[in-house]
């Protein structure tokens, strides 16, 4: 692959549309494709199976994640469902890192309760603890790094090495939504599957719901392709085109997210209203505990530039309260054990002027003091 920024910006521009020389790839809405004759096809038959704009996006997703094949689907949750419905059966077991996107836990709970696929959790620190949990039933390991919302960093390469040394058949899936391939390429670290909620950084503008699955092994890719044709949760052409457009600026956006987040992490940690700040050092996600005696509700109502809203990864700064939003479905005891207290605030740092963001958060925190 060429360097990532060049691939992101130029990698999808030289399409088969040589007749016009268009710099930007065309958008094909057609669901059906004419056949020249019996047994002949252009390669496109029906758009659930494959369609040119989504195919171009999938080539690009595979390239930037160092995979051989990618699948663009209708949401981040659809990626999890695609992986699970393809690779797990009743009686299989999975192991997950313990601090995940709340919706992922909700999905695991339904698989456990309705399909007999139990899961255990790993705290993401000592790889030996994870290896000790492997049983003959273990089929899949699910990781998120840094974790959500407490920003624990996992050693994906160490997990892949230790697990595959004893169980080469166990699949390791990494949700790479937070860091994106700009900062982390799980397939090069030994993971088998990478998933994204492309709704977040890959899309980057709070206007697109999408997901991506990328694999290195063509045999896994063939199984996913067959399953996706069967279940049909593919990404529509217009959304595929929007995501192609968004990916062009992924590199520059991620670096700007990091610069703003590093600045805010340092400044916010020094405020008296901030008891503790959590940041992985890279990427745009920070979390902090509002000190005792500060009202979360007053803080949220006091924001004028940042929005109190439930998503992440966009140019707009969004502030979330995981205990009542993203992780509300998790039992309270489990939430508290993970440090997801009612005072924990998660900030998806956007690309506004960093001084304006600091001023907004600082005044809202100060105004929240009882
Ligand atoms: C949002 C999110 C998901 C779910 O993605 P949707 O696009 O909302 O379906 C999965 N994993 C992570 C880390 C997320 O942030």
């Amino acid at each position: 692959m060429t360097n990532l920024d060049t691939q992101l910006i130029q990698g999808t521009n030289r399409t088969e549309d040589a007749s016009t020389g268009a710099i930007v790839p065309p958008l094909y809405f057609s669901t059906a494709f004419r056949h020249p004759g019996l047994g002949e096809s252009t390669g496109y038959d029906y758009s659930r199976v494959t369609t040119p704009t989504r195919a171009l996006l999938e080539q690009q997703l595979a390239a930037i994640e160092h995979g051989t094949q990618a699948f663009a689907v209708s949401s981040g949750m659809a990626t999890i469902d695609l992986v699970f419905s393809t690779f797990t059966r009743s009686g299989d077991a999975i192991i997950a890192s313990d601090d995940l996107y709340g919706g992922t836990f909700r999905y695991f709970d339904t698989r456990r309760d309705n399909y007999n696929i139990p899961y255990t959790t790993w705290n993401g620190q000592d790889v030996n603890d994870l290896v000790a949990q492997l049983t003959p039933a273990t089929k899949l390991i699910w990781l998120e790094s840094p974790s959500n919302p407490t920003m624990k960093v996992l050693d994906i390469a160490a997990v892949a090495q230790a697990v595959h040394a004893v169980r080469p058949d166990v699949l390791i899936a990494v949700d790479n939504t937070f860091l994106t391939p700009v900062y982390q390429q799980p397939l090069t670290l030994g993971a088998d599957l990478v998933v994204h909620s492309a709704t977040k950084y890959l899309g980057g503008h709070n206007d697109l719901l999408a997901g991506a699955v990328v694999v290195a092994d063509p045999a896994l890719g063939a199984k996913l392709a067959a399953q996706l044709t069967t279940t049909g949760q593919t990404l529509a052409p217009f959304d595929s085109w929007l995501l192609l457009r968004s990916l062009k600026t992924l590199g520059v956006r991620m670096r700007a997210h990091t610069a703003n987040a590093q600045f805010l992490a340092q400044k916010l940690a020094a405020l008296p209203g901030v008891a503790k700040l959590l940041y992985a050092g890279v990427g745009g996600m920070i979390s902090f505990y509002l000190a005792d005696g500060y009202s979360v509700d007053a803080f949220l109502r006091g924001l004028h530039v940042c929005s109190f809203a439930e998503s992440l990864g966009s140019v707009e700064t969004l502030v979330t309260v995981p205990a009542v939003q993203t992780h509300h479905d998790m039992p309270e005891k489990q939430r508290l054990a993970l440090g997801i207290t009612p005072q924990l605030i998660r900030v998806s740092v956007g690309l506004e002027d960093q001084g304006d963001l600091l001023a907004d958060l600082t005044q809202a925190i100060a105004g929240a003091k009882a």
Side-chain angles (χ1 to χ4, degrees):
M1 190 180 79
T2 44
N3 290 317
L4 182 61
D5 276 320
T6 308
Q7 176 68 29
L8 285 166
I9 290 162
Q10 292 287 357
T12 54
N13 289 348
R14 282 170 174 72
T15 64
E16 66 275 18
D17 190 15
S19 59
T20 66
I23 289 295
V24 170
L27 167 53
Y28 293 96
F29 281 113
S30 190
T31 53
F33 299 86
R34 190 180 302 118
H35 303 304
L38 262 187
E40 292 178 44
S41 167
T42 58
Y44 298 103
D45 305 314
Y46 182 64
S47 68
R48 173 160 34 77
V49 183
T50 181
T51 181
T53 309
R54 192 173 75 237
L56 188 65
L57 169 65
E58 290 174 335
Q59 280 168 29
Q60 177 71 320
L61 291 166
I64 64 176
E65 279 289 10
H66 301 267
T68 59
Q69 219 177 333
F71 302 89
V73 297
S74 53
S75 71
M77 294 315 299
T79 68
I80 302 174
D81 190 55
L82 177 60
V83 171
F84 267 70
S85 60
T86 309
F87 298 114
T88 64
R89 298 286 171 270
S90 176
D92 289 342
I94 72 155
I95 305 171
S97 50
D98 63 359
D99 186 30
L100 297 174
Y101 177 67
T104 306
F105 272 124
R106 186 166 57 229
Y107 186 89
F108 290 173
D109 288 345
T110 66
R111 284 272 144 175
R112 180 194 57 207
D113 298 345
N114 302 337
Y115 297 91
N116 184 34
I117 298 170
Y119 71 91
T120 52
T121 59
W122 170 57
N123 70 7
Q125 303 308 304
D126 186 349
V127 175
N128 293 323
D129 294 344
L130 172 62
V131 172
Q133 285 189 37
L134 292 168
T135 71
T138 308
K139 195 65 191 279
L140 183 68
I141 291 173
W142 194 273
L143 307 173
E144 244 181 72
S145 181
S147 70
N148 178 3
T150 63
M151 310 299 160
K152 285 191 291 196
V153 176
L154 276 57
D155 188 341
I156 295 166
V159 170
Q161 210 168 19
V163 170
H164 284 155
V166 290
R167 288 289 304 279
D169 59 312
V170 169
L171 297 176
I172 297 170
V174 177
D175 184 332
N176 204 26
T177 298
F178 271 31
L179 289 189
T180 81
V182 172
Y183 294 124
Q184 175 166 278
Q185 300 101 28
L187 296 179
T188 68
L189 302 173
D192 300 289
L193 299 137
V194 177
V195 306
H196 279 274
S197 168
T199 314
K200 315 296 169 51
Y201 287 107
L202 299 190
H205 294 74
N206 279 328
D207 57 9
L208 168 66
L209 190 73
V213 182
V214 191
V215 291
D217 176 7
L220 294 184
K223 285 184 187 164
L224 288 165
Q227 182 71 3
L228 191 55
T229 295
T230 305
T231 57
Q233 65 270 58
T234 55
L235 194 63
F238 183 66
D239 290 348
S240 298
W241 187 87
L242 261 185
L243 188 49
L244 277 168
R245 183 186 203 270
S246 299
L247 284 174
K248 295 198 177 195
T249 55
L250 181 66
V252 69
R253 282 189 286 110
M254 289 311 292
R255 291 190 290 275
H257 281 297
T258 295
N260 274 3
Q262 286 178 345
F263 172 80
L264 285 184
Q266 194 196 7
K267 299 288 184 190
L268 293 179
L271 297 179
V274 173
K276 187 178 177 191
L277 190 133
L278 310 171
Y279 181 47
V282 70
M285 299 301 298
I286 62 179
S287 294
F288 64 86
Y289 293 94
L290 211 51
D292 289 342
Y294 286 75
S295 156
V296 170
D297 187 51
F299 162 70
L300 297 170
R301 288 177 192 278
L303 294 168
H304 303 305
V305 177
C306 309
S307 298
F308 170 39
E310 188 168 346
S311 192
L312 65 100
S314 158
V315 294
E316 293 95 358
T317 296
L318 301 187
V319 174
T320 304
V321 182
V324 298
Q325 293 178 295
T326 52
H327 290 68
H328 181 69
D329 283 353
M330 185 182 274
E332 187 183 11
K333 200 167 151 243
Q334 194 182 345
R335 272 206 310 264
L336 293 176
L338 290 171
I340 305 172
T341 73
Q343 294 293 104
L344 182 66
I345 309 286
R346 192 186 74 184
V347 183
S348 171
V349 180
L351 303 189
E352 303 90 340
D353 176 82
Q354 56 183 217
D356 289 344
L357 291 177
L358 178 63
D360 190 41
L361 290 161
T362 303
Q363 62 80 30
I365 292 168
K369 191 158 193 244

